[in-house]
Amino acid sequence: MFDPTRTRRILSLGLPVVAGMVSQNVLNLVDTAMVGTLGDIALAAVGIGSFLNFMSVAFIQGLSSGVQTIAARRKGEERLHEVAIPLNGALVVAFVVCIPLSMLLSGGSATLFGWLTEDVAVREVGTSYFAVRVLGMTAIGINFSFRGFFNGVDLTRIYMRVLMVMHAINIFLNWVFIFGNLGSPVMGATGAGLASVIALYIGSLYYVFLGFKHGRDKGFLKRRCDRQTLAQLLRLSVPNGLQIFLFATGLVVLFWIIGLVGTLATAAANVLVNVMLVAILPGVAFGIAAMSLVGQAIGRGEPDDAYRWAWDVSRIAMMTLAVLGAVMALFPGAVLGIFLHNPETLELARVPLIIFGLGIVFDGVGSVMMQALLGAGAALPVMAVSVVLQWGVFLPFAYWVGPTLGYGLTGIWIVQTLYRCLQALVFGTLWKRKRWMALKL
């Protein structure tokens, strides 16, 4: 079941991505802790502003999968001088789309916050924070484009290295701008946004330096992205970006549904969702590895090897997530006790966490299969399945089972686990049918 050579290859690609993603979540916690010292108003404002920013940049994040799919395919085809051409095209798209859009969103920050909160104090702080924070959109587009390139050519350690540099800079600048150290004025929550933006652009410059170092011979800023490659890039990136955006929007609807159950349920769900998003990171990371392995195998003209890679990666992801799932299922109180201190809220979240722990293995398989399909170029089927199951199945049933039938948070989490298992089954079936083998890039 586990070929040592293939297992080492999977781990060498997947583990740096896991480390990078975990570090991102650690950074988010540090940001929250530093802003939290300013009080509840600043914390609420940054929370809403961060979510607005996530929705704003969700679409452009699709560039990563588009670049990675094409770059991995070209590497497999041994067209090494063309591997960075999709990266060149993605950088152009990032500049053309993100610069005007970020300026528009920054100028309209007051209107956006007015829709989301009636608290005047939160609106005032959040408007300033988001107006600055969204100016980093172009840098995010650049960063995700490079992430796709380096992952596609098996240089995942570079992605981790750049993330670590950005995190260190962000934390240091938070200390400077939020609290007014080293001669800086005290900027509060706005300083947190400025620190993030500066860190993102420094990360972008670092990526450009590494691009010249590792990608110049592959065509980085040396060969123009032709119309055909640009069309392929958009065909792969747009559906994935739309899927990410709709997934983020679906989380908003989910919290609205849970809000109908009650305030305690909303508090418990906030912790459950954050635990869930962290716990599935290994599955997502190994899925990104599968995307590269599949793309390279197809590029070599070995579709059967590509087919096998997805299952090999799935086994490793399942083993990793089984350990995490066992901890959550066997010790839910200990996990939740880190975040929840109200005994009633903790008890409300206990059973949903056990349910999630029991189903996380299947969620990991779904993540790997989804990324494998993206690596094969099947972006449209992946988007269709994801959107239909989330918006057409999960959210309506969650509303029906939770608030309407009265099964509350536990009922909603049962529906969510079944939905994620169903999604894994559908993606696995699509992979097994092998229709993706006929796709050309």
Side-chain angles (χ1 to χ4, degrees):
M1 291 181 61
F2 296 96
D3 181 283
T5 302
R6 296 173 76 88
T7 299
R8 281 194 297 271
R9 179 98 185 275
I10 293 168
L11 293 176
S12 68
L13 291 176
L15 291 181
V17 182
V18 173
M21 288 183 167
V22 170
S23 70
Q24 179 66 58
N25 282 272
V26 171
L27 173 65
N28 292 339
L29 292 175
V30 172
D31 266 357
T32 302
M34 296 179 81
V35 172
T37 62
L38 303 176
D40 291 340
I41 291 176
L43 198 58
V46 170
I48 296 172
S50 296
F51 181 75
L52 265 178
N53 185 67
F54 173 62
M55 289 190 64
S56 301
V57 303
F59 187 77
I60 203 67
Q61 290 180 23
L63 286 173
S64 179
S65 64
V67 172
Q68 184 172 346
T69 299
I70 299 175
R73 187 72 64 91
R74 296 295 175 263
K75 180 179 179 181
E77 294 168 344
E78 297 188 354
R79 295 161 61 181
L80 299 182
H81 59 290
E82 300 178 20
V83 170
I85 291 178
L87 170 61
N88 297 338
L91 294 176
V92 172
V93 172
F95 278 103
V96 170
V97 173
C98 293
I99 291 177
L101 183 57
S102 63
M103 298 296 290
L104 179 65
L105 290 171
S106 181
S109 57
T111 302
L112 292 172
F113 255 83
W115 292 341
L116 295 174
T117 179
E118 297 179 358
D119 189 308
V120 176
V122 172
R123 189 186 305 173
E124 182 180 353
V125 174
T127 296
S128 177
Y129 170 81
F130 178 70
V132 173
R133 184 73 176 83
V134 77
L135 294 178
M137 180 185 290
T138 305
I140 289 175
I142 294 170
N143 288 352
F144 271 85
S145 298
F146 274 103
R147 189 186 85 169
F149 169 72
F150 284 120
N151 287 345
V153 296
D154 296 352
L155 293 174
T156 54
R157 286 180 176 80
I158 289 180
Y159 159 66
M160 181 181 68
R161 187 191 313 165
V162 176
L163 270 183
M164 295 299 184
V165 170
M166 286 195 296
H167 295 346
I169 292 172
N170 196 3
I171 292 172
F172 170 71
L173 293 180
N174 272 343
W175 176 76
V176 172
F177 295 139
I178 293 175
F179 307 111
N181 290 303
L182 300 181
S184 168
V186 178
M187 301 178 67
T190 304
L194 180 60
S196 296
V197 170
I198 293 175
L200 283 167
Y201 278 104
I202 291 176
S204 298
L205 292 174
Y206 189 24
Y207 263 132
V208 171
F209 168 76
L210 293 171
F212 277 106
K213 182 177 181 181
H214 298 281
R216 192 64 173 170
D217 60 334
K218 299 175 179 63
F220 174 61
L221 297 186
K222 192 176 181 180
R223 300 193 58 181
R224 185 175 61 86
C225 182
D226 57 273
R227 290 185 178 182
Q228 181 180 358
T229 303
L230 184 60
Q232 291 170 340
L233 176 68
L234 295 176
R235 181 172 64 83
L236 295 168
S237 301
V238 170
N240 188 241
L242 184 60
Q243 173 200 333
I244 296 171
F245 174 78
L246 290 174
F247 174 77
T249 308
L251 286 179
V252 179
V253 176
L254 174 61
F255 272 100
W256 172 76
I257 293 171
I258 295 170
L260 299 176
V261 176
T263 302
L264 288 182
T266 304
N270 184 42
V271 171
L272 287 168
V273 168
N274 280 287
V275 170
M276 177 186 74
L277 293 176
V278 173
I280 65 174
L281 288 180
V284 175
F286 284 119
I288 291 173
M291 185 191 298
S292 293
L293 294 167
V294 166
Q296 291 173 18
I298 295 175
R300 293 193 302 270
E302 300 174 358
D304 290 330
D305 189 46
Y307 179 78
R308 183 184 168 191
W309 274 121
W311 295 115
D312 288 345
V313 176
S314 293
R315 293 188 188 99
I316 294 175
M318 288 175 68
M319 288 183 61
T320 305
L321 292 172
V323 175
L324 293 175
V327 172
M328 289 183 284
L330 294 174
F331 310 104
V335 175
L336 294 169
I338 300 172
F339 309 99
L340 294 173
H341 305 289
N342 183 337
E344 190 176 355
T345 308
L346 192 151
E347 190 60 33
L348 191 62
R350 183 186 299 272
V351 174
L353 184 63
I354 293 173
I355 294 168
F356 173 67
L358 295 174
I360 192 174
V361 169
F362 303 101
D363 200 302
V365 174
S367 295
V368 171
M369 289 299 169
M370 179 178 73
Q371 299 293 337
L373 286 164
L374 289 174
L380 281 175
V382 167
M383 183 193 71
V385 170
S386 300
V387 172
V388 168
L389 290 182
Q390 183 187 24
W391 287 85
V393 177
F394 168 55
L395 293 174
F397 271 89
Y399 178 82
W400 180 55
V401 171
T404 305
L405 296 183
Y407 289 101
L409 187 63
T410 298
I412 291 172
W413 238 255
I414 290 173
V415 172
Q416 174 162 265
T417 301
L418 292 175
Y419 139 69
R420 301 292 287 184
C421 290
L422 176 60
Q423 182 169 268
L425 178 63
V426 174
F427 284 144
T429 301
L430 290 177
W431 188 254
K432 195 171 183 179
R433 287 179 178 175
K434 300 183 179 181
R435 294 178 181 174
W436 47 267
M437 289 185 177
L439 297 173
K440 304 293 183 184
L441 288 180

